[in-house]
Amino acid sequence: MAEHTVITMHGAGPEKGLSRDPPRDYLLLSLFNILLLGNPCCLSFAALVYSVKSRDRKLVGDMDGALTYAKTSKQMNVCAIVLNVLLLIIFLILFFLYVIPVLKNLYQPH
């Protein structure tokens, strides 16, 4: 006699959120931030961690968890970019206010 195994699948419909597109994980943006822009206040590294967590949640099928981690990663990436731009502006202002006048004074004939 043949034995049969029946596996009942519940909740595989749209009510579980499987029909919507999976959320983005912002992994490339996190890698861009950490490798090219730097790592101010470890925000880029934390964003990379949340991006990996988002990708893991997406692979497991937990789209709500993946969306939560993805939003956090996006916010941290945006904060890291803004902080990098602000630091660059402050550096340029200080450079032109203090370094350029000192260099001019050094190379002027007396």
Side-chain angles (χ1 to χ4, degrees):
M1 223 179 233
E3 293 184 26
H4 297 285
T5 303
V6 177
I7 299 174
T8 306
M9 303 290 278
H10 293 287
E15 65 272 6
K16 292 295 275 186
L18 296 178
S19 65
R20 65 181 177 185
D21 294 331
R24 295 182 58 188
D25 54 17
Y26 300 103
L27 185 64
L28 290 177
L29 181 60
S30 298
L31 288 173
F32 172 78
N33 274 339
I34 203 166
L35 295 176
L36 296 178
L37 294 181
N39 197 7
C41 304
C42 293
L43 279 175
S44 300
F45 181 71
L48 181 66
V49 169
Y50 277 98
S51 296
V52 171
K53 284 184 176 187
S54 174
R55 182 165 281 193
D56 289 344
R57 290 286 92 202
K58 195 170 24 173
L59 288 175
V60 171
D62 180 17
M63 295 303 159
D64 292 331
L67 184 63
T68 303
Y69 284 129
K71 284 182 181 179
T72 305
S73 174
K74 180 181 176 183
Q75 291 170 350
M76 287 185 174
N77 278 316
V78 169
C79 288
I81 290 171
V82 168
L83 191 58
N84 274 320
V85 169
L86 287 175
L87 288 174
L88 178 67
I89 290 171
I90 290 170
F91 174 77
L92 289 175
I93 289 171
L94 291 175
F95 182 78
F96 284 111
L97 285 177
Y98 294 109
V99 175
I100 297 295
V102 168
L103 290 176
K104 282 183 181 179
N105 287 335
L106 282 175
Y107 292 112
Q108 282 183 349
H110 296 291

